[in-house]
């Protein structure tokens, strides 16, 4: 059964703040194989105008994917996660994620469409620092594969 488009615009409560630590940034940079010194060395980051180390551009996926779990697990939406593949990911930054940030994510369903028996769901995550400052917007596209031909 296709997803109900009346869910477009539904927002979920903000997540608890996630405190970004230097070590988590370094671990993430190591995991993706990026040796940029601004991800590890506070002095290198300061030389680039940042107050502390900054995170690689895809770092917010950690917290936005977790926040999108509210959508995926919403029993009213009825998404069968066993049939979901990650279709696309985009980030639009106001500023880089920095060590010491306390980030919360508010997710909203931006779009639902059906194509060739598949449901395509776009989830927007607005990431704000505890002070209220916007940091990044993440757009995640999930594709729920249909059962046509099974």
């Amino acid at each position: 059964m296709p997803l109900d488009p009346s869910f477009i615009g539904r927002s979920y409560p903000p997540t608890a703040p996630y405190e970004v630590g230097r070590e988590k940034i370094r671990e993430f940079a190591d995991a993706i194989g990026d040796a940029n010194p601004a991800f590890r060395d506070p002095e290198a980051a300061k030389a680039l105008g940042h107050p502390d180390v900054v995170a690689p551009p895809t770092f917010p996926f950690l917290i936005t994917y977790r926040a999108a779990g509210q959508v995926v697990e919403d029993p009213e939406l009825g998404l069968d996660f066993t049939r979901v593949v990650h279709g696309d990911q985009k980030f639009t930054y106001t500023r880089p994620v920095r060590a010491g940030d306390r980030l919360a994510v508010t997710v909203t369903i931006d779009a639902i469409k059906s194509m060739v028996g598949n449901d395509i769901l776009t989830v927007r995550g607005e990431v704000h620092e505890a002070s209220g400052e916007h940091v990044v917007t993440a757009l995640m596209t999930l594709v729920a594969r249909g059962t046509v031909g099974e």
Side-chain angles (χ1 to χ4, degrees), residues 1-58:
M1 176 179 221
L3 296 178
D4 183 351
S6 72
F7 280 79
I8 296 170
R10 180 178 279 199
S11 290
Y12 295 79
T15 61
Y18 173 90
E19 188 163 344
V20 179
R22 285 181 183 166
E23 185 63 15
K24 287 293 181 188
I25 291 172
R26 186 195 60 74
E27 288 171 354
F28 189 88
D30 287 348
I32 63 170
D34 195 324
N36 185 331
F39 303 153
R40 295 171 170 74
D41 179 6
E43 294 310 313
K46 287 177 186 174
L48 296 172
H50 303 292
D52 204 333
V53 296
V54 293
T58 55

Side-chain angles (χ1 to χ4, degrees), residues 73-92:
E73 295 168 5
D74 184 340
E76 292 178 18
L77 180 62
L79 180 67
D80 179 359
F81 193 68
T82 66
R83 305 195 69 79
V84 170
V85 295
H86 188 257
D88 193 22
Q89 184 73 51
K90 296 178 184 170
F91 300 98
T92 305

Side-chain angles (χ1 to χ4, degrees), residues 113-146:
K113 58 185 172 182
S114 292
M115 291 177 54
V116 196
N118 299 312
D119 286 322
I120 301 169
L121 178 70
T122 303
V123 178
R124 176 173 35 93
E126 296 291 349
V127 181
H128 289 85
E129 215 284 322
S131 67
E133 175 188 17
H134 180 268
V135 177
V136 61
T137 298
L139 284 177
M140 177 185 305
T141 302
L142 302 174
V143 180
R145 297 166 293 140

Side-chain angles (χ1 to χ4, degrees), residues 47-75:
L48 296 172
H50 303 292
D52 204 333
V53 296
V54 293
T58 55
F59 183 87
F61 183 79
L62 265 124
I63 59 172
T64 58
Y65 183 75
R66 188 177 303 152
Q70 295 177 91
V71 174
V72 169
E73 295 168 5
D74 184 340

